[in-house]
């Protein structure tokens, strides 16, 4: 699993939303201004998060975005799945998007290595929540530097 620019931006936006009073609707303009995420890109991220029930959205005057639940109740696994889809490295071991493989019964790598990789990634992402992102937001930590450290394919 690799983090993408979209993942980093989603984490930054959710950290910001997590610092707001419960039930406060925050405009995409405000989130964009505070997180330095380009508004058109941010709106697409928020739409994906809204579609998966991570955030709620409300149109019109007084509308905007708010977390769907308390920050500590939104796991990073839920966030990553909302943005990227499956966490598993292969569909033959995916818990939610599984596709059978003719070799799965006797494939040692699938039944040991790949399954453990999936389980380890899920365990870490389930262990942490949006509340952990709020800690950074309150300390003024920007994830913009993370973008400089994203691994490129074939790196």
């Amino acid at each position: 699993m690799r983090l993408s620019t979209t993942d980093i931006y989603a984490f930054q936006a959710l950290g910001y939303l997590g610092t707001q009073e419960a039930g406060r609707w925050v405009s995409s303009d405000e989130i964009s201004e505070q997180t330095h995420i380009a508004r058109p890109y941010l709106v697409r991220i928020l739409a994906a998060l809204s579609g998966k029930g991570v955030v709620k959205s409300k149109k019109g005057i007084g509308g905007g975005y708010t977390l769907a639940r308390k920050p500590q109740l939104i796991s990073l696994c839920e966030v990553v799945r909302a943005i990227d889809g499956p966490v598993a490295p292969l569909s033959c071991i995916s818990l939610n998007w599984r596709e059978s493989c003719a070799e799965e019964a006797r494939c040692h790598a699938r039944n040991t290595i790949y399954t453990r990789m999936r389980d380890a990634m899920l365990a870490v992402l389930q262990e942490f929540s949006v509340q952990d992102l709020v800690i950074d937001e309150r300390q003024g930590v920007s994830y913009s530097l993370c973008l400089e450290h994203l691994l490129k394919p074939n790196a």
Side-chain angles (χ1 to χ4, degrees), residues 75-78 81 121-129:
S75 76
L76 294 189
C77 186
E78 185 179 353
R81 279 184 169 149
M121 287 187 282
L122 287 171
V124 169
L125 291 170
Q126 286 288 7
E127 182 180 342
F128 297 98
S129 70

Side-chain angles (χ1 to χ4, degrees), residues 93 103-116:
I93 60 166
E103 293 289 355
E104 67 186 43
R106 61 189 202 128
C107 179
H108 180 73
R110 177 204 179 273
N111 296 318
T112 56
I113 301 163
Y114 302 149
T115 302
R116 284 188 65 195

Side-chain angles (χ1 to χ4, degrees), residues 39-81:
R39 189 179 170 284
Y41 195 9
L42 174 67
V43 170
R44 287 195 306 269
I45 293 167
L46 293 169
L49 294 170
S50 178
K52 295 296 184 177
V54 175
V55 300
K56 293 190 281 188
S57 65
K58 183 167 99 173
K59 294 184 182 202
I61 296 173
Y65 299 88
T66 189
L67 293 180
R69 295 178 302 288
K70 293 178 180 178
Q72 63 270 25
L73 298 178
I74 302 171
S75 76
L76 294 189
C77 186
E78 185 179 353
V79 173
V80 170
R81 279 184 169 149

Side-chain angles (χ1 to χ4, degrees), residues 77-154:
C77 186
E78 185 179 353
V79 173
V80 170
R81 279 184 169 149
I83 297 298
D84 298 326
V87 173
L90 299 168
S91 64
C92 64
I93 60 166
S94 177
L95 297 176
N96 296 320
W97 294 276
R98 190 173 185 298
E99 292 180 20
S100 295
C101 172
E103 293 289 355
E104 67 186 43
R106 61 189 202 128
C107 179
H108 180 73
R110 177 204 179 273
N111 296 318
T112 56
I113 301 163
Y114 302 149
T115 302
R116 284 188 65 195
M117 286 172 60
R118 176 206 63 206
D119 292 347
M121 287 187 282
L122 287 171
V124 169
L125 291 170
Q126 286 288 7
E127 182 180 342
F128 297 98
S129 70
V130 170
Q131 184 61 44
D132 294 290
L133 306 175
V134 169
I135 292 168
D136 280 343
E137 180 65 30
R138 287 198 171 126
Q139 294 182 67
V141 174
S142 170
Y143 296 157
S144 61
L145 291 177
C146 296
L147 301 174
E148 297 173 19
H149 298 281
L150 290 175
L151 293 171
K152 313 255 182 307
N154 302 319

Side-chain angles (χ1 to χ4, degrees), residues 8-23:
I8 300 298
Y9 284 157
F11 289 174
Q12 191 80 57
L14 290 169
Y16 181 73
L17 284 174
T19 65
Q20 306 305 304
E21 281 182 38

